[in-house]
Structure formats: structure tokens, C-alpha cells
Amino acid sequence: MREQHGGDVYTEPVRLDFSVSLNPLGMPEALRDAVLSSSGSWEQYPDIRQRKLRQAAAGWYRRLGLSLSPEYFIFGGGASELLQTVFFSGRPKRVLLPVPSFGEYRRMAEASGAEIRFLTLSEESGFDLAQALPELIRALREEHYDMLVLASPNNPTGRAVGADVLREIAGVCRSTGTYLVLDECFGWFLPDRGRFSLLPEIAAHPGDYGHVLVLDSLTKICAMPGLRLGYAIASSDRVREEICRSMQPWPVSAPAEAAGCCAFDGILTEEVKKVQPMLQEERDYLAGSLRESGMKVYGSDANYLLIRCRDAEVLKKACLARGILIRSCADYEGLNRRFFRVCVKTREENRELINAIRQICGEKTNG
């Protein structure tokens, strides 16, 4: 039985999907055009060395002031595929997972045969990893872990981890021989991404961060989950070689490669500039409206909100009856059926979700 995920618009009719956290502005038309224009290459195998993609990605980060070698990049069919490859190439015996977090971390650890230790983040702190830093550091120093998996921002809480905290954790991992996997897939939606990332440190001091791998994806910011394109950034030659040996030869299709090159050549900059101001305004609107409905809404830095209600499973069924899909968090380690997650969409769509929830909760609204 696979883990539950958002995006199941196939089992029941869905008009509005709030269960997946994508760019609310949708896929850029220029990117869609680039994909369709790549059809001439569909009769050829993609470049097994991913040269265009690596050069395009390195060029985009260079324009941000980050000197990352094209060789640092490994592309795959989504970040989840790369995560699986990282676990199966490294074969960690013991893994430390702060929770709640993305369910695939646990699933991949279990599938690779690793022993897992969950570090449960406090609901009272808003699931803030910084508040659990002393316990995390103690666990790393006093217990032996081969791998630590973190996310900034975290899913489903939406909390980003400050670069100072990440540097401290990376330093402890260096001293304990723990491999650090940092998932930054939702970092595109942060106003000042560098303040919540280890990439500036990897770019400046690659030799000190060979034990760190950063996962990222174009799925969220470019709203292209059906194309499947993620990437890993690792400064260690040995780590990259181990990962590449465990991957299939052609993990990225020609359409996905065309989308990636188009994104890194300029679309990403435009999308980030457009979506961030709108996201902050709509996130505040959605959070405030849900609080007015009597729900507990936790602070978020990302394009989604974690909410606590009486029964999220009941709420999900009632919303689905209205053609709206939300993400129950009952299957997340560290949460239960009282929690659910929704993405932040446009004002019209957010208002429709709010009205539906108010009606379900027995409230009246004029819209």
C-alpha cells in the first residue's frame, strides 16, 4: 500500500484541487511552448550526460551570484525519484527524521532497510525545527546516524529553516559523519531564498559540504508535475558517482529537458517575481479566513497552510462532495486525522474554498 499523496483527481470528480502545492498562476505559456516545440527530438534518446540541463541550471544560479559547477547537478524524473536513488545508493543503516515531514522520506528509508528514529516537532512551537535544535544536535552527537533528512520549507508545516540553523546542523553532521539530505523543493516561494538554504555555503565552500546533498524540483514553481523534473546538487564527486551508478541511463525525457532548459534560461526569474507578492497576500487572506471559521492555522513560509480542525477526514469528504479536494494529513507521522493541508491559490479559488468550509461548518456567508 503506497503512501497517500495529494493530486488524486482521478478517483472522484474534482473541480478545485487544493491538495497539491503548485504555483497558483499555473504553467507558464512559454514553457508549454518550449515543450511542444521539442517534438523534433522525441525520436532520439536524451543526452545521457544531461549537458544542456546542467549548463542551463549552473547559468541560472550563477546569475544569482552562486558559483555552482555544472558537474554538481544530477537531474531525474522528479525529486522523489532522486530521493529513492539517494537512499538505495547510500544504503544508510540508521536515519534521523524530524516529523511531521514528507511521507516519502519515511517510505524510502523503510524500503532501503534503514532503521528510523523520529524526532517529533512540537505543535506548541508551530512545528519549528529551530525550537528542537538542542534535541536534534544531542541525537546526532550521542546516537549514530548515517543520514539526516530535512526540508526547508518543510512539508506539510510550511516552516522554513534559517541558514544559520542549517549551517549549525551541517557542522554537527560533518563531525559525526552523518550525511545530510536537504529538500528545498518549496524554496522558490520564499521572498529571500538564500536566508533559508545551504546553497550559498556549498557554492562558497564546496569542500566543507561534501556530506550535504540538496534536492530541488521545477514541479512546484513551474506547475508541471506531469512532466517530472527534479534535481540534486552535490559537491562531492564520490556521492555523485554513487548516485549516477544507481540511476537508469535516461531518467529525464526530452519534453522534460526542454521544459527545464526553458525555465533556467529565464522563465524562473519571471515566475518568482510574479508569484511571491501574490502568494504572501493570498496566504494571509486564506489563513485569516480559516481562523475566522474557528480553525487553528499554523504559521507558514510556503505556498500552503497546515490547519487543525475537528475531523479532517470528515471535512475532506464534505469538500469532495462539492468538487474540492484538500489534503488530509492523517497519514503523516506526528500528525493525526484532525490535521489537513491546503495550497494557496488565486483569490477567487481561495474564496470558494472558504465558503465551502463555512457552509460545511454550518456558517452562513455572503461570499
Side-chain angles (χ1 to χ4, degrees), residues 116-162:
I116 305 172
R117 198 266 211 183
F118 297 114
L119 191 155
T120 303
L121 303 177
S122 164
E123 181 182 352
E124 290 71 25
S125 71
F127 306 103
D128 184 5
L129 181 69
Q131 297 296 314
L133 187 59
E135 183 183 357
L136 177 66
I137 291 176
R138 183 199 61 75
L140 289 169
R141 286 177 173 164
E142 298 181 6
E143 309 163 16
H144 176 72
Y145 293 101
D146 303 292
M147 184 181 290
L148 167 65
V149 185
L150 301 176
S152 180
N154 187 33
N155 172 17
T157 67
R159 298 298 297 266
V161 184

Side-chain angles (χ1 to χ4, degrees), residues 116-287:
I116 305 172
R117 198 266 211 183
F118 297 114
L119 191 155
T120 303
L121 303 177
S122 164
E123 181 182 352
E124 290 71 25
S125 71
F127 306 103
D128 184 5
L129 181 69
Q131 297 296 314
L133 187 59
E135 183 183 357
L136 177 66
I137 291 176
R138 183 199 61 75
L140 289 169
R141 286 177 173 164
E142 298 181 6
E143 309 163 16
H144 176 72
Y145 293 101
D146 303 292
M147 184 181 290
L148 167 65
V149 185
L150 301 176
S152 180
N154 187 33
N155 172 17
T157 67
R159 298 298 297 266
V161 184
D164 55 340
V165 174
L166 292 174
R167 284 193 297 268
E168 185 171 358
I169 293 172
V172 174
C173 287
R174 187 185 306 115
S175 67
T176 59
T178 305
Y179 194 67
L180 173 58
V181 177
L182 178 60
D183 184 343
E184 296 191 5
C185 287
F186 288 101
W188 302 100
F189 302 100
L190 300 173
D192 188 356
R193 188 176 187 181
R195 293 177 50 235
F196 306 95
S197 171
L198 277 179
L199 287 181
E201 298 298 321
I202 294 173
H205 311 286
D208 293 337
Y209 288 87
H211 64 299
V212 176
L213 178 138
V214 174
L215 280 175
D216 211 329
S217 169
L218 298 183
T219 296
K220 314 302 188 294
I221 187 63
C222 293
M224 47 178 257
L227 284 172
R228 312 305 304 143
L229 184 63
Y231 57 100
I233 301 175
S235 62
S236 167
D237 294 342
R238 178 186 59 80
V239 168
R240 293 197 308 273
E241 289 170 4
E242 288 178 355
I243 292 172
C244 289
R245 279 200 301 267
S246 300
M247 296 179 71
Q248 60 161 309
W250 301 280
V252 178
S253 69
E257 178 182 341
C261 289
C262 176
F264 285 121
D265 284 344
I267 293 297
L268 282 175
T269 303
E270 299 173 17
E271 287 306 301
V272 168
K273 285 182 179 179
K274 285 192 297 185
V275 76
Q276 284 183 354
M278 172 246 191
L279 172 63
Q280 293 178 60
E281 180 178 349
E282 289 305 311
R283 185 176 59 214
D284 290 345
Y285 167 73
L286 183 57

